[in-house]
mmCIF file of all heavy atoms in Angstrom:
data_model
loop_
_atom_site.group_PDB
_atom_site.id
_atom_site.type_symbol
_atom_site.label_atom_id
_atom_site.label_comp_id
_atom_site.label_asym_id
_atom_site.label_seq_id
_atom_site.Cartn_x
_atom_site.Cartn_y
_atom_site.Cartn_z
ATOM 1 N N ALA A 1 37.355 18.289 -1.791
ATOM 2 C CA ALA A 1 36.583 17.235 -1.274
ATOM 3 C C ALA A 1 35.121 17.647 -0.963
ATOM 4 O O ALA A 1 34.156 16.909 -1.235
ATOM 5 C CB ALA A 1 37.155 16.488 -0.228
ATOM 6 N N GLN A 2 34.915 18.792 -0.352
ATOM 7 C CA GLN A 2 33.741 19.285 0.037
ATOM 8 C C GLN A 2 32.838 19.806 -1.089
ATOM 9 O O GLN A 2 31.660 19.792 -1.063
ATOM 10 C CB GLN A 2 33.814 20.402 1.085
ATOM 11 C CG GLN A 2 34.494 20.026 2.416
ATOM 12 C CD GLN A 2 34.578 21.162 3.395
ATOM 13 O OE1 GLN A 2 33.554 21.949 3.526
ATOM 14 N NE2 GLN A 2 35.705 21.285 3.954
ATOM 15 N N ASN A 3 33.511 20.253 -2.235
ATOM 16 C CA ASN A 3 32.798 21.045 -3.242
ATOM 17 C C ASN A 3 32.998 20.330 -4.544
ATOM 18 O O ASN A 3 32.162 19.543 -4.950
ATOM 19 C CB ASN A 3 33.230 22.437 -3.238
ATOM 20 C CG ASN A 3 32.941 23.244 -1.994
ATOM 21 O OD1 ASN A 3 31.845 23.561 -1.702
ATOM 22 N ND2 ASN A 3 34.016 23.566 -1.193
ATOM 23 N N ALA A 4 34.082 20.617 -5.305
ATOM 24 C CA ALA A 4 34.153 20.210 -6.706
ATOM 25 C C ALA A 4 34.114 18.661 -6.820
ATOM 26 O O ALA A 4 33.360 18.208 -7.581
ATOM 27 C CB ALA A 4 35.508 20.796 -7.227
ATOM 28 N N LEU A 5 34.843 17.954 -6.047
ATOM 29 C CA LEU A 5 34.994 16.505 -6.268
ATOM 30 C C LEU A 5 33.635 15.811 -5.887
ATOM 31 O O LEU A 5 33.196 14.984 -6.712
ATOM 32 C CB LEU A 5 36.087 16.023 -5.342
ATOM 33 C CG LEU A 5 36.368 14.442 -5.537
ATOM 34 C CD1 LEU A 5 36.699 14.126 -6.954
ATOM 35 C CD2 LEU A 5 37.510 14.111 -4.616
ATOM 36 N N ILE A 6 33.073 16.216 -4.828
ATOM 37 C CA ILE A 6 31.726 15.598 -4.387
ATOM 38 C C ILE A 6 30.673 15.951 -5.328
ATOM 39 O O ILE A 6 29.735 15.036 -5.647
ATOM 40 C CB ILE A 6 31.442 15.897 -2.952
ATOM 41 C CG1 ILE A 6 30.302 14.930 -2.450
ATOM 42 C CG2 ILE A 6 30.968 17.308 -2.866
ATOM 43 C CD1 ILE A 6 29.965 15.077 -0.955
ATOM 44 N N ASN A 7 30.697 17.087 -5.910
ATOM 45 C CA ASN A 7 29.650 17.534 -6.859
ATOM 46 C C ASN A 7 29.828 16.805 -8.203
ATOM 47 O O ASN A 7 28.814 16.292 -8.758
ATOM 48 C CB ASN A 7 29.728 19.073 -7.121
ATOM 49 C CG ASN A 7 29.311 19.837 -5.981
ATOM 50 O OD1 ASN A 7 28.575 19.419 -5.034
ATOM 51 N ND2 ASN A 7 29.791 21.159 -5.876
ATOM 52 N N ILE A 8 31.018 16.594 -8.678
ATOM 53 C CA ILE A 8 31.254 15.893 -9.906
ATOM 54 C C ILE A 8 30.813 14.439 -9.751
ATOM 55 O O ILE A 8 30.195 13.871 -10.667
ATOM 56 C CB ILE A 8 32.749 15.972 -10.386
ATOM 57 C CG1 ILE A 8 33.069 17.427 -10.821
ATOM 58 C CG2 ILE A 8 33.009 15.074 -11.549
ATOM 59 C CD1 ILE A 8 34.555 17.710 -10.927
ATOM 60 N N THR A 9 31.275 13.885 -8.613
ATOM 61 C CA THR A 9 30.873 12.473 -8.396
ATOM 62 C C THR A 9 29.343 12.305 -8.255
ATOM 63 O O THR A 9 28.847 11.272 -8.692
ATOM 64 C CB THR A 9 31.648 12.029 -7.120
ATOM 65 O OG1 THR A 9 33.031 12.228 -7.195
ATOM 66 C CG2 THR A 9 31.434 10.550 -6.899
ATOM 67 N N THR A 10 28.751 13.235 -7.702
ATOM 68 C CA THR A 10 27.302 13.123 -7.478
ATOM 69 C C THR A 10 26.585 13.036 -8.857
ATOM 70 O O THR A 10 25.607 12.291 -8.986
ATOM 71 C CB THR A 10 26.763 14.382 -6.660
ATOM 72 O OG1 THR A 10 27.324 14.330 -5.374
ATOM 73 C CG2 THR A 10 25.285 14.265 -6.487
ATOM 74 N N ILE A 11 27.136 13.804 -9.796
ATOM 75 C CA ILE A 11 26.407 13.720 -11.113
ATOM 76 C C ILE A 11 26.497 12.288 -11.775
ATOM 77 O O ILE A 11 25.478 11.811 -12.135
ATOM 78 C CB ILE A 11 27.126 14.707 -12.115
ATOM 79 C CG1 ILE A 11 26.966 16.196 -11.608
ATOM 80 C CG2 ILE A 11 26.717 14.564 -13.529
ATOM 81 C CD1 ILE A 11 27.797 17.240 -12.376
ATOM 82 N N PHE A 12 27.653 11.746 -11.712
ATOM 83 C CA PHE A 12 27.852 10.311 -12.313
ATOM 84 C C PHE A 12 27.184 9.334 -11.492
ATOM 85 O O PHE A 12 26.645 8.356 -11.930
ATOM 86 C CB PHE A 12 29.300 10.162 -12.559
ATOM 87 C CG PHE A 12 29.921 10.938 -13.657
ATOM 88 C CD1 PHE A 12 30.668 12.052 -13.331
ATOM 89 C CD2 PHE A 12 29.581 10.674 -14.928
ATOM 90 C CE1 PHE A 12 31.326 12.838 -14.300
ATOM 91 C CE2 PHE A 12 30.227 11.528 -16.016
ATOM 92 C CZ PHE A 12 30.997 12.583 -15.613
ATOM 93 N N LEU A 13 27.181 9.553 -10.164
ATOM 94 C CA LEU A 13 26.498 8.600 -9.267
ATOM 95 C C LEU A 13 24.994 8.611 -9.582
ATOM 96 O O LEU A 13 24.428 7.446 -9.709
ATOM 97 C CB LEU A 13 26.774 8.887 -7.814
ATOM 98 C CG LEU A 13 26.056 7.993 -6.753
ATOM 99 C CD1 LEU A 13 26.694 6.658 -6.723
ATOM 100 C CD2 LEU A 13 26.251 8.680 -5.313
ATOM 101 N N GLY A 14 24.420 9.756 -9.642
ATOM 102 C CA GLY A 14 22.986 9.906 -9.874
ATOM 103 C C GLY A 14 22.576 9.262 -11.255
ATOM 104 O O GLY A 14 21.686 8.431 -11.347
ATOM 105 N N LEU A 15 23.387 9.644 -12.274
ATOM 106 C CA LEU A 15 22.982 9.018 -13.607
ATOM 107 C C LEU A 15 23.212 7.465 -13.593
ATOM 108 O O LEU A 15 22.497 6.787 -14.224
ATOM 109 C CB LEU A 15 24.066 9.624 -14.716
ATOM 110 C CG LEU A 15 23.697 11.157 -14.998
ATOM 111 C CD1 LEU A 15 24.826 11.688 -15.929
ATOM 112 C CD2 LEU A 15 22.328 11.300 -15.682
ATOM 113 N N SER A 16 24.222 6.977 -12.902
ATOM 114 C CA SER A 16 24.507 5.535 -12.796
ATOM 115 C C SER A 16 23.334 4.847 -12.120
ATOM 116 O O SER A 16 22.912 3.786 -12.511
ATOM 117 C CB SER A 16 25.759 5.192 -12.165
ATOM 118 O OG SER A 16 26.855 5.843 -12.735
ATOM 119 N N VAL A 17 22.835 5.441 -11.022
ATOM 120 C CA VAL A 17 21.663 4.900 -10.358
ATOM 121 C C VAL A 17 20.405 4.857 -11.323
ATOM 122 O O VAL A 17 19.643 3.905 -11.401
ATOM 123 C CB VAL A 17 21.349 5.708 -9.019
ATOM 124 C CG1 VAL A 17 20.015 5.171 -8.376
ATOM 125 C CG2 VAL A 17 22.480 5.465 -8.022
ATOM 126 N N GLY A 18 20.226 6.004 -11.984
ATOM 127 C CA GLY A 18 19.134 6.057 -12.886
ATOM 128 C C GLY A 18 19.227 5.005 -13.986
ATOM 129 O O GLY A 18 18.181 4.521 -14.435
ATOM 130 N N SER A 19 20.465 4.584 -14.323
ATOM 131 C CA SER A 19 20.565 3.554 -15.403
ATOM 132 C C SER A 19 19.937 2.226 -14.980
ATOM 133 O O SER A 19 19.607 1.329 -15.761
ATOM 134 C CB SER A 19 22.008 3.338 -15.773
ATOM 135 O OG SER A 19 22.707 2.692 -14.720
ATOM 136 N N LYS A 20 19.752 2.017 -13.638
ATOM 137 C CA LYS A 20 19.124 0.791 -13.179
ATOM 138 C C LYS A 20 17.643 0.767 -13.068
ATOM 139 O O LYS A 20 16.964 -0.101 -12.665
ATOM 140 C CB LYS A 20 19.745 0.454 -11.772
ATOM 141 C CG LYS A 20 21.199 0.084 -11.710
ATOM 142 C CD LYS A 20 21.342 -1.219 -12.532
ATOM 143 C CE LYS A 20 22.813 -1.637 -12.629
ATOM 144 N NZ LYS A 20 22.964 -2.976 -13.372
ATOM 145 N N LEU A 21 17.073 1.860 -13.498
ATOM 146 C CA LEU A 21 15.650 2.013 -13.498
ATOM 147 C C LEU A 21 14.959 1.599 -14.848
ATOM 148 O O LEU A 21 13.938 2.087 -15.278
ATOM 149 C CB LEU A 21 15.138 3.512 -13.228
ATOM 150 C CG LEU A 21 15.681 4.092 -11.942
ATOM 151 C CD1 LEU A 21 15.103 5.485 -11.775
ATOM 152 C CD2 LEU A 21 15.211 3.282 -10.744
ATOM 153 N N VAL A 22 15.733 0.722 -15.523
ATOM 154 C CA VAL A 22 15.190 0.140 -16.805
ATOM 155 C C VAL A 22 13.918 -0.682 -16.528
ATOM 156 O O VAL A 22 13.837 -1.464 -15.614
ATOM 157 C CB VAL A 22 16.271 -0.772 -17.446
ATOM 158 C CG1 VAL A 22 15.708 -1.274 -18.759
ATOM 159 C CG2 VAL A 22 17.480 0.042 -17.676
ATOM 160 N N ALA A 23 12.998 -0.540 -17.360
ATOM 161 C CA ALA A 23 11.602 -1.128 -17.103
ATOM 162 C C ALA A 23 11.712 -2.606 -16.868
ATOM 163 O O ALA A 23 11.084 -3.174 -16.002
ATOM 164 C CB ALA A 23 10.718 -0.803 -18.306
ATOM 165 N N ASP A 24 12.490 -3.359 -17.767
ATOM 166 C CA ASP A 24 12.468 -4.853 -17.690
ATOM 167 C C ASP A 24 13.143 -5.317 -16.474
ATOM 168 O O ASP A 24 13.050 -6.571 -16.190
ATOM 169 C CB ASP A 24 13.059 -5.385 -18.960
ATOM 170 C CG ASP A 24 14.401 -4.912 -19.239
ATOM 171 O OD1 ASP A 24 14.900 -4.122 -18.486
ATOM 172 O OD2 ASP A 24 15.012 -5.451 -20.209
ATOM 173 N N LYS A 25 13.809 -4.492 -15.707
ATOM 174 C CA LYS A 25 14.575 -4.978 -14.538
ATOM 175 C C LYS A 25 14.021 -4.375 -13.319
ATOM 176 O O LYS A 25 14.158 -4.893 -12.232
ATOM 177 C CB LYS A 25 16.053 -4.543 -14.575
ATOM 178 C CG LYS A 25 16.799 -5.188 -15.795
ATOM 179 C CD LYS A 25 18.212 -4.758 -15.827
ATOM 180 C CE LYS A 25 19.002 -5.362 -17.014
ATOM 181 N NZ LYS A 25 20.395 -4.902 -17.185
ATOM 182 N N PHE A 26 13.201 -3.268 -13.379
ATOM 183 C CA PHE A 26 12.770 -2.586 -12.266
ATOM 184 C C PHE A 26 11.306 -2.924 -11.915
ATOM 185 O O PHE A 26 10.986 -2.917 -10.701
ATOM 186 C CB PHE A 26 12.909 -1.047 -12.511
ATOM 187 C CG PHE A 26 12.671 -0.143 -11.247
ATOM 188 C CD1 PHE A 26 13.649 0.063 -10.342
ATOM 189 C CD2 PHE A 26 11.414 0.411 -11.039
ATOM 190 C CE1 PHE A 26 13.379 0.896 -9.167
ATOM 191 C CE2 PHE A 26 11.084 1.165 -9.921
ATOM 192 C CZ PHE A 26 12.147 1.361 -9.113
ATOM 193 N N LEU A 27 10.487 -3.106 -12.910
ATOM 194 C CA LEU A 27 9.050 -3.276 -12.634
ATOM 195 C C LEU A 27 8.700 -4.738 -12.211
ATOM 196 O O LEU A 27 8.527 -5.538 -13.085
ATOM 197 C CB LEU A 27 8.311 -2.867 -13.830
ATOM 198 C CG LEU A 27 8.259 -1.400 -14.174
ATOM 199 C CD1 LEU A 27 7.517 -1.038 -15.486
ATOM 200 C CD2 LEU A 27 7.787 -0.555 -13.043
ATOM 201 N N ASP A 28 8.715 -5.023 -11.059
ATOM 202 C CA ASP A 28 8.226 -6.353 -10.583
ATOM 203 C C ASP A 28 7.916 -6.152 -9.113
ATOM 204 O O ASP A 28 7.923 -5.116 -8.386
ATOM 205 C CB ASP A 28 9.419 -7.414 -10.696
ATOM 206 C CG ASP A 28 10.744 -6.973 -9.987
ATOM 207 O OD1 ASP A 28 10.632 -6.367 -8.933
ATOM 208 O OD2 ASP A 28 11.743 -7.383 -10.505
ATOM 209 N N MET A 29 7.315 -7.319 -8.494
ATOM 210 C CA MET A 29 6.809 -7.234 -7.166
ATOM 211 C C MET A 29 7.916 -7.091 -6.052
ATOM 212 O O MET A 29 7.663 -6.359 -5.043
ATOM 213 C CB MET A 29 6.037 -8.543 -6.823
ATOM 214 C CG MET A 29 4.649 -8.665 -7.573
ATOM 215 S SD MET A 29 3.637 -7.282 -7.017
ATOM 216 C CE MET A 29 3.467 -7.614 -5.282
ATOM 217 N N ASN A 30 9.080 -7.482 -6.460
ATOM 218 C CA ASN A 30 10.184 -7.308 -5.508
ATOM 219 C C ASN A 30 10.484 -5.782 -5.252
ATOM 220 O O ASN A 30 10.847 -5.443 -4.227
ATOM 221 C CB ASN A 30 11.450 -8.041 -5.974
ATOM 222 C CG ASN A 30 11.437 -9.476 -5.734
ATOM 223 O OD1 ASN A 30 10.603 -9.969 -4.974
ATOM 224 N ND2 ASN A 30 12.347 -10.219 -6.325
ATOM 225 N N THR A 31 10.351 -4.968 -6.326
ATOM 226 C CA THR A 31 10.538 -3.522 -6.210
ATOM 227 C C THR A 31 9.598 -2.983 -5.224
ATOM 228 O O THR A 31 9.901 -2.171 -4.338
ATOM 229 C CB THR A 31 10.465 -2.915 -7.599
ATOM 230 O OG1 THR A 31 11.396 -3.389 -8.370
ATOM 231 C CG2 THR A 31 10.686 -1.405 -7.432
ATOM 232 N N LEU A 32 8.247 -3.362 -5.367
ATOM 233 C CA LEU A 32 7.297 -2.855 -4.419
ATOM 234 C C LEU A 32 7.661 -3.255 -2.951
ATOM 235 O O LEU A 32 7.386 -2.546 -2.008
ATOM 236 C CB LEU A 32 5.885 -3.352 -4.816
ATOM 237 C CG LEU A 32 5.384 -2.896 -6.178
ATOM 238 C CD1 LEU A 32 4.030 -3.468 -6.482
ATOM 239 C CD2 LEU A 32 5.294 -1.321 -6.211
ATOM 240 N N GLY A 33 8.103 -4.570 -2.849
ATOM 241 C CA GLY A 33 8.532 -5.074 -1.545
ATOM 242 C C GLY A 33 9.596 -4.137 -0.986
ATOM 243 O O GLY A 33 9.610 -3.974 0.208
ATOM 244 N N ILE A 34 10.611 -3.828 -1.762
ATOM 245 C CA ILE A 34 11.706 -3.053 -1.264
ATOM 246 C C ILE A 34 11.275 -1.717 -0.812
ATOM 247 O O ILE A 34 11.651 -1.228 0.216
ATOM 248 C CB ILE A 34 12.844 -2.835 -2.491
ATOM 249 C CG1 ILE A 34 13.431 -4.227 -2.622
ATOM 250 C CG2 ILE A 34 13.827 -1.829 -2.110
ATOM 251 C CD1 ILE A 34 14.336 -4.286 -3.932
ATOM 252 N N LEU A 35 10.365 -1.106 -1.595
ATOM 253 C CA LEU A 35 9.875 0.214 -1.195
ATOM 254 C C LEU A 35 9.086 0.130 0.122
ATOM 255 O O LEU A 35 9.156 1.042 0.973
ATOM 256 C CB LEU A 35 8.883 0.794 -2.357
ATOM 257 C CG LEU A 35 9.617 1.138 -3.686
ATOM 258 C CD1 LEU A 35 8.638 1.526 -4.721
ATOM 259 C CD2 LEU A 35 10.689 2.264 -3.457
ATOM 260 N N GLY A 36 8.279 -0.910 0.237
ATOM 261 C CA GLY A 36 7.510 -1.139 1.566
ATOM 262 C C GLY A 36 8.463 -1.337 2.716
ATOM 263 O O GLY A 36 8.254 -0.797 3.782
ATOM 264 N N LEU A 37 9.461 -2.284 2.512
ATOM 265 C CA LEU A 37 10.327 -2.555 3.608
ATOM 266 C C LEU A 37 11.205 -1.271 3.901
ATOM 267 O O LEU A 37 11.598 -1.131 5.101
ATOM 268 C CB LEU A 37 11.253 -3.747 3.157
ATOM 269 C CG LEU A 37 10.588 -5.080 3.197
ATOM 270 C CD1 LEU A 37 11.618 -6.065 2.455
ATOM 271 C CD2 LEU A 37 10.323 -5.600 4.600
ATOM 272 N N GLY A 38 11.493 -0.481 2.922
ATOM 273 C CA GLY A 38 12.363 0.734 3.221
ATOM 274 C C GLY A 38 11.618 1.676 4.167
ATOM 275 O O GLY A 38 12.260 2.205 5.102
ATOM 276 N N ILE A 39 10.315 1.930 3.947
ATOM 277 C CA ILE A 39 9.677 2.869 4.853
ATOM 278 C C ILE A 39 9.491 2.239 6.220
ATOM 279 O O ILE A 39 9.600 3.040 7.196
ATOM 280 C CB ILE A 39 8.225 3.243 4.219
ATOM 281 C CG1 ILE A 39 7.642 4.375 4.948
ATOM 282 C CG2 ILE A 39 7.298 1.954 4.263
ATOM 283 C CD1 ILE A 39 8.327 5.640 4.875
ATOM 284 N N VAL A 40 9.324 0.939 6.322
ATOM 285 C CA VAL A 40 9.280 0.282 7.641
ATOM 286 C C VAL A 40 10.600 0.470 8.395
ATOM 287 O O VAL A 40 10.654 0.797 9.517
ATOM 288 C CB VAL A 40 8.955 -1.192 7.472
ATOM 289 C CG1 VAL A 40 9.016 -1.908 8.819
ATOM 290 C CG2 VAL A 40 7.443 -1.176 6.992
ATOM 291 N N ALA A 41 11.694 0.225 7.581
ATOM 292 C CA ALA A 41 13.040 0.367 8.154
ATOM 293 C C ALA A 41 13.301 1.799 8.712
ATOM 294 O O ALA A 41 13.832 1.922 9.832
ATOM 295 C CB ALA A 41 14.127 -0.069 7.119
ATOM 296 N N PHE A 42 12.819 2.706 7.931
ATOM 297 C CA PHE A 42 13.105 4.079 8.316
ATOM 298 C C PHE A 42 12.255 4.437 9.580
ATOM 299 O O PHE A 42 12.786 5.086 10.449
ATOM 300 C CB PHE A 42 12.717 5.047 7.110
ATOM 301 C CG PHE A 42 13.258 6.454 7.267
ATOM 302 C CD1 PHE A 42 14.486 6.754 6.923
ATOM 303 C CD2 PHE A 42 12.430 7.410 7.731
ATOM 304 C CE1 PHE A 42 15.049 8.026 7.085
ATOM 305 C CE2 PHE A 42 12.857 8.710 7.897
ATOM 306 C CZ PHE A 42 14.203 9.014 7.505
ATOM 307 N N GLY A 43 11.117 3.963 9.597
ATOM 308 C CA GLY A 43 10.206 4.212 10.831
ATOM 309 C C GLY A 43 10.879 3.572 12.050
ATOM 310 O O GLY A 43 10.808 4.102 13.121
#
């Protein structure tokens, strides 16, 4: 769980997240709003 399994899962998780960075779905004002709200939330 600490090594092999989490590492394998991380590969597919990362590629799956990357699949959502398609231009026609990612590039809009809402995305900029999310990035701005994210830094505020973290702060």
